[in-house]
Amino acid sequence: MSNLKIRKAAGVEADEFETNVAQELLNLEMTSTELKASLRDLYITAAKEVDVGGDRKAMILYVPYKLLKSYNKIHQRLVRELEKKFSGRHVLIVAQRTILGKSYARSHKTTGLRPRSRTLTAVQDAILEDIVYPTEITGKRVRCKVDGKRILKVYLDSKDQANVEGRTETFAAVYTKLTNKQVTFIFN
């Protein structure tokens, strides 16, 4: 029954962790009155557990890009419920996106360049926005250190500081895990 809430590519089986997450989504749909109608048509494509440091873990739920807007409507309620179920782990919802390489060539029927939304930098920027979702990003700066390291400073909207301040370490760890880029979050 939990297979309704997770859809993998053909021939790929869901692991135990993904099955547990899918089962919890199904349980939420069955029991929660406020989320029941919203969760009916929603599903995930994958789930990952990431070490944040200090014996803490975060869960990343990958959802189809087309369903991201629907997930964003119920984001805060869904994350709150899932964090209760999974004993205080931070839950992040990220859209499943495709990166096309520089050598991408279209089929013979259509011509043109690769879409900007499929470039590496566009996908990484979109992942950053997904990770910090209820909060808006007000600015970004790249700091290049003398030793060659690049650190991305992300300025978040200060109106959400009370809600998000405890999660910024999680955001940074997950973004680093997904993109191999160092990031720090600052409120302004």
Side-chain angles (χ1 to χ4, degrees), residues 21 25 78 105 108 116 121 125 130 141 148 163 169 175:
V21 172
L25 284 172
L78 180 64
H108 294 292
R116 289 275 184 251
T121 53
D125 287 345
D130 288 351
R141 302 283 182 271
N163 301 335
E169 292 174 23
Y175 187 73

Side-chain angles (χ1 to χ4, degrees), residues 149-188:
K149 285 186 180 175
R150 305 177 100 202
I151 298 177
L152 180 65
K153 287 185 175 181
V154 178
Y155 295 94
L156 299 176
D157 199 352
S158 59
K159 71 175 190 233
D160 298 322
Q161 186 170 357
N163 301 335
V164 180
E165 198 157 26
R167 299 169 63 104
T168 55
E169 292 174 23
T170 304
F171 294 163
V174 169
Y175 187 73
T176 302
K177 182 83 170 173
L178 294 178
T179 62
N180 288 333
K181 286 186 172 180
Q182 294 293 320
V183 65
T184 57
F185 293 96
I186 301 167
F187 293 95
N188 68 339

Side-chain angles (χ1 to χ4, degrees), residues 5 18 46-48 53-54 58-59 71 95 102 106 111 134 151 165:
K5 288 294 166 191
E18 291 174 334
K48 257 192 209 174
M59 288 176 27
Y71 271 102
K102 287 185 178 181
R106 290 183 182 258
T111 57
I151 298 177
E165 198 157 26

Side-chain angles (χ1 to χ4, degrees), residues 1 7 18 24 26 35-37 41 43 63 66 73 75 77 79 86-87 90-92 94 131 169 176:
M1 191 73 175
R7 297 188 191 162
E18 291 174 334
E24 285 303 327
L26 189 66
L35 292 173
K36 185 172 189 148
D41 299 326
Y43 58 91
V63 300
K66 290 183 177 184
K73 288 178 186 172
H75 185 276
R77 289 177 288 171
V79 166
F86 288 99
S87 66
H90 289 151
V91 177
L92 305 171
V94 177
I131 287 174
E169 292 174 23
T176 302

Side-chain angles (χ1 to χ4, degrees), residues 107-143:
S107 65
H108 294 292
K109 293 178 185 174
T110 59
T111 57
L113 302 171
R114 71 180 162 159
R116 289 275 184 251
S117 63
R118 305 285 198 285
T119 62
L120 178 69
T121 53
V123 169
Q124 288 178 344
D125 287 345
I127 287 172
L128 184 62
E129 288 187 21
D130 288 351
I131 287 174
V132 300
Y133 169 62
T135 309
E136 289 183 13
I137 296 173
T138 56
K140 293 182 205 166
R141 302 283 182 271
V142 177
R143 179 165 183 230

